[in-house]
Amino acid sequence: MRYFTKFFLLIIFLCSLFFSINVTADSTIIDITIEPVEPIPLSTITFMVTIDNVSNIEDARLIFLECRDDMCFVEKWNESMNEINGVYQTSITLLHEQATQCKYSIAIKETGTWVNSEPAFFNLRIDDQENLSNNSTPGFEFVFALCTIAAAIFLLEVKKDA
């Protein structure tokens, strides 16, 4: 009888141990879609993240930085993502006209623990023709030419009178 009691207690202990373990699979990011595909500075970008096991997710956030070459600007987004039909999404509007690329990662809170994806980069589309027209000084050449002609006429008139 003594062995039966020990055996029974051992079985109860093992069963309670087995059933108390909550087995959950870690969620995995399947796909990240960015719209528009080739964003430009100062545009609005929408991120859509497909995750395989959304039932265990407590929160999902987009960590985002605008960068220029190898330096990122001070503003850092930590945007909450809304779940719509199993896809987490959020939109942000870029702030810096000088930005040339963006850095982002996805943070997922699952069973009380935050897990961050590896940071990723994408380039912003910089239209060279647009930048040339924005950085040039149209009209000032005409002002300088007009001043030169006026100065030449003035000097000719002064020379005539002398």
Side-chain angles (χ1 to χ4, degrees), residues 29 32 34 47-49 51 59-67 76-81 88 90 92 102-108 114-122:
I29 294 174
I32 299 175
I34 301 170
F47 286 82
M48 291 167 282
V49 180
I51 303 172
D59 195 7
R61 301 188 78 76
L62 170 70
I63 313 300
F64 185 85
L65 287 162
E66 286 180 82
C67 303
K76 181 178 184 178
W77 281 278
N78 186 346
E79 291 292 316
S80 181
M81 301 185 84
Y88 284 83
T90 191
I92 57 170
C102 297
K103 176 182 177 180
Y104 70 93
S105 65
I106 306 298
I108 300 171
W114 284 98
V115 177
N116 287 338
S117 68
E118 290 294 319
F121 288 87
F122 65 88

Side-chain angles (χ1 to χ4, degrees), residues 5-135:
T5 307
K6 289 181 182 179
F7 179 73
F8 183 74
L9 289 175
L10 180 65
I11 296 295
I12 291 175
F13 173 75
L14 290 176
C15 286
S16 66
L17 183 65
F18 176 77
F19 289 113
S20 69
I21 296 174
N22 187 6
V23 179
T24 59
D26 290 338
S27 297
T28 304
I29 294 174
I30 296 173
D31 185 39
I32 299 175
T33 305
I34 301 170
E35 288 184 8
V37 176
E38 293 182 355
I40 60 174
L42 304 177
S43 64
T44 298
I45 303 173
T46 300
F47 286 82
M48 291 167 282
V49 180
T50 305
I51 303 172
D52 70 344
N53 193 3
V54 295
S55 62
N56 295 332
I57 296 175
E58 298 170 24
D59 195 7
R61 301 188 78 76
L62 170 70
I63 313 300
F64 185 85
L65 287 162
E66 286 180 82
C67 303
R68 180 179 181 176
D69 302 324
D70 291 334
M71 287 190 342
C72 292
F73 293 99
V74 176
E75 296 86 11
K76 181 178 184 178
W77 281 278
N78 186 346
E79 291 292 316
S80 181
M81 301 185 84
N82 299 318
E83 189 255 328
I84 300 170
N85 297 328
V87 176
Y88 284 83
Q89 64 182 18
T90 191
S91 295
I92 57 170
T93 301
L94 302 180
L95 301 175
H96 299 283
E97 187 174 5
Q98 303 83 13
T100 58
Q101 65 180 350
C102 297
K103 176 182 177 180
Y104 70 93
S105 65
I106 306 298
I108 300 171
K109 184 177 183 183
E110 186 176 17
T111 61
T113 304
W114 284 98
V115 177
N116 287 338
S117 68
E118 290 294 319
F121 288 87
F122 65 88
N123 292 324
L124 296 174
R125 183 176 50 111
I126 308 297
D127 189 6
D128 291 334
Q129 188 65 23
E130 181 181 310
N131 285 342
L132 288 175
S133 66
N134 287 340
N135 294 333

